[in-house]
């Protein structure tokens, strides 16, 4: 029987510091998610060994006693935080599920990822970067309304109703908030009105594109100015619809783009690509998540149900992709 190590960051381990925003621990997992994943791996016929976060991994590195690691660790700060566990595992010569350190750093930094998309001809909203409110310059290529996001965060950190800005005064205020609170540059993008989708992919040589999931907010699919905020994740105002009720034409566009994005940043085993589709029907890639949430509240559970498999089987599929890739199956 093979042993699968599990690396993760727990919300309960995070110690809030003075000045931390409320969403400081948003990327980390709930202990129940770790238990659910652990049970799901065991249900696929593996022994599971919980390792913990990067510091715990460092302590145990000489004697891990695992065949492969299932990594969902988010790391603490900075654009390389998700790369910390993978680089340690790479040093230890231990195979792991999911993207490597380079891909994780590249995609957590949304601006670096957008540069790849642009080089590959993948549509992404027009953008600029700004380091502080004082440094704001003219941005004629980007038209209001705009959205202001932290350059390297996930889980909708830093996003609230004020993130969508309609004029220079609002923009300046939001850039000031993001750069000071999250201590990183702000990514300012053209705001895409319309609809929102996310597409998951599993596998490597012949990746399987999962059914498109659509985001519904306040009971509406036509989102216009509504978007995903940190507050909405935890409210019942947000729903996922799977499969999305869209034309074959749009589905094909999203599927093709999702796969191109997955390959452009060399994702492995699994990933999830987020899109907005403008009212003109044009899709824009917002980002790719090579380490998407596997919480049962999130989209992977829904997708599993939709394709007629259990959550455990979905995790088995992801793990199996990594085992095959490493010649361990
Ligand atoms: N250019 C945009 N136009 C319209 N809405 C946007 C845009 N960029 C981001 N959003 C909204 O903000 C949400 C979060 O943005 P994004 O996916 O870039 O960040 P994230 O925090 O990494 O996401 P996740 O919650 O998937 O980890 C999107 O799901 C979308 O609702
Ligand atoms: Mg996203």
């Amino acid at each position: 029987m093979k042993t699968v190590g599990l690396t993760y960051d727990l919300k309960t381990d995070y110690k809030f510091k003075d000045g931390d925003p409320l969403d400081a621990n948003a990327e980390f997992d709930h202990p129940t998610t770790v238990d659910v994943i652990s049970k799901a791996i065991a249900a696929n016929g593996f022994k599971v060994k919980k390792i913990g976060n990067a510091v715990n991994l460092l302590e145990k590195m000489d004697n891990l006693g695992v065949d492969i690691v299932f990594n969902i660790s988010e790391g603490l700060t900075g654009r390389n935080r998700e790369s910390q566990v993978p680089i340690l595992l790479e040093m230890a010569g231990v195979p792991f599920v999911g993207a490597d350190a380079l891909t994780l750093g590249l995609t957590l930094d949304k601006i670096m990822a957008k540069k790849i998309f642009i080089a590959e001809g993948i549509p992404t909203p027009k953008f600029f970067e700004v380091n502080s409110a004082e440094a704001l310059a003219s941005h004629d290529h980007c038209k209001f309304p705009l959205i202001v996001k932290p350059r390297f965060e996930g889980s909708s950190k830093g996003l609230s109703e004020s993130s969508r800005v309609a004029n220079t005064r609002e923009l300046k205020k939001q850039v000031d908030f993001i750069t000071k609170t999250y201590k990183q540059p702000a990514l300012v993008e053209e705001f895409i009105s319309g609809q929102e989708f996310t597409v998951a992919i599993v596998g490597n040589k012949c990746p399987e594109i999962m059914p498109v999931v659509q985001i519904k907010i306040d009971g509406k699919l036509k989102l216009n100015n509504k978007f995903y905020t940190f507050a909405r994740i935890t409210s019942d105002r947000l729903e996922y619809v799977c499969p999305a009720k869209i034309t074959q034409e749009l589905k094909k566009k999203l599927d093709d783009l999702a796969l191109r994005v997955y390959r452009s940043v060399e994702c492995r085993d699994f990933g999830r690509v987020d899109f907005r589709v403008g009212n003109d029907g044009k899709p824009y890639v917002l980002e790719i998540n090579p380490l998407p949430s596997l919480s049962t509240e999130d989209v992977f559970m829904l997708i599993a149900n939709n394709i007629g498999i259990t959550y455990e089987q979905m995790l088995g599929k992801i793990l199996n992709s990594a085992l095959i890739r490493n010649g361990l199956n």
Side-chain angles (χ1 to χ4, degrees):
M1 187 187 262
K2 288 198 171 65
T3 302
V4 178
L6 198 51
T7 44
Y8 47 83
D9 279 283
L10 290 180
K11 279 193 199 296
T12 42
D13 283 345
Y14 187 80
K15 308 265 178 299
F16 275 87
K17 300 179 295 297
D18 276 354
D20 270 352
L22 275 177
D23 58 12
N25 70 353
E27 287 272 85
F28 306 143
D29 279 291
H30 209 272
T32 44
T33 303
V34 174
D35 282 339
V36 167
I37 292 176
S38 169
K39 288 201 181 96
I41 296 170
N44 280 281
F46 297 93
K47 189 166 173 254
V48 181
K49 205 166 170 178
K50 288 186 184 168
I51 296 170
N53 63 19
V55 175
N56 305 136
L57 173 60
L58 258 179
E59 288 161 0
K60 298 174 190 168
M61 207 149 112
D62 292 338
N63 190 16
L64 276 180
V66 299
D67 296 287
I68 192 164
V69 167
F70 202 117
N71 168 45
I72 59 161
S73 167
E74 290 285 340
L76 272 187
T77 50
R79 65 180 176 179
N80 295 311
R81 61 183 166 79
E82 289 183 351
S83 311
Q84 289 161 357
V85 161
I87 208 73
L88 290 176
L89 292 170
E90 199 174 299
M91 282 169 69
V94 176
F96 54 93
V97 178
D100 74 354
L102 176 64
T103 295
L104 288 164
L106 175 70
T107 53
L108 188 59
D109 185 332
K110 292 192 168 84
I111 291 186
M112 295 297 268
K114 282 170 81 80
K115 287 180 182 171
I116 301 278
F117 302 158
I118 292 165
E120 299 268 340
I122 294 164
T124 186
K126 289 186 192 148
F127 75 103
F128 60 93
E129 178 189 5
V130 55
N131 290 314
S132 68
E134 295 71 37
L136 259 176
S138 69
H139 47 85
D140 298 338
H141 69 295
C142 288
K143 304 266 176 291
F144 285 112
L146 301 168
I147 181 163
V148 185
K149 311 191 262 191
R151 178 171 168 172
F152 34 84
E153 292 298 348
S155 303
S156 298
K157 277 173 82 170
L159 291 179
S160 69
E161 297 307 322
S162 325
S163 306
R164 182 181 169 280
V165 296
N167 54 49
T168 306
R169 184 185 50 80
E170 289 176 6
L171 171 64
K172 206 167 179 169
K173 194 168 162 219
Q174 200 58 18
V175 165
D176 194 52
F177 167 72
I178 289 293
T179 51
K180 286 187 176 147
T181 312
Y182 296 92
K183 302 183 176 52
Q184 59 187 282
L187 160 60
V188 185
E189 278 183 350
E190 279 194 350
F191 186 92
I192 312 297
S193 283
Q195 307 182 75
E196 182 161 335
F197 303 93
T198 190
V199 180
I201 294 186
V202 177
N204 296 305
K205 281 211 175 84
C206 297
E208 199 178 330
I209 306 170
M210 297 295 162
V212 176
V213 176
Q214 185 162 12
I215 315 298
K216 197 179 202 181
I217 300 176
D218 294 336
K220 294 208 163 52
L221 290 171
K222 210 166 179 313
L223 301 183
N224 292 325
N225 291 339
K226 295 182 203 289
F227 58 100
Y228 215 115
T229 59
F230 175 68
R232 280 200 174 119
I233 295 185
T234 44
S235 81
D236 53 7
R237 294 170 60 188
L238 187 110
E239 288 167 68
Y240 298 112
V241 179
C242 181
K245 295 177 190 70
I246 49 174
T247 61
Q248 269 308 108
E249 193 194 348
L250 180 57
K251 178 175 160 44
K252 184 161 185 335
K253 274 192 204 167
L254 296 178
D255 284 359
D256 290 351
L257 276 174
L259 189 56
R260 278 172 66 196
V261 172
Y262 190 79
R263 291 200 160 127
S264 74
V265 295
E266 299 183 9
C267 264
R268 301 191 308 204
D269 309 328
F270 72 131
R272 207 195 75 215
V273 184
D274 293 346
F275 295 92
R276 289 289 282 205
V277 174
N279 286 325
D280 56 0
K282 202 169 171 264
Y284 295 86
V285 173
L286 298 183
E287 59 154 356
I288 176 156
N289 302 285
L291 198 58
S293 168
L294 292 172
S295 147
T296 50
E297 322 268 280
D298 216 291
V299 295
F300 273 88
M301 175 80 164
L302 191 65
I303 293 167
N305 287 341
N306 189 259
I307 62 171
I309 64 173
T310 61
Y311 174 79
E312 288 78 9
Q313 286 168 326
M314 176 61 95
L315 259 67
K317 234 180 200 313
I318 296 169
L319 177 54
N320 205 35
S321 300
L323 289 169
I324 295 172
R325 179 170 56 76
N326 287 287
L328 291 172
N329 55 317

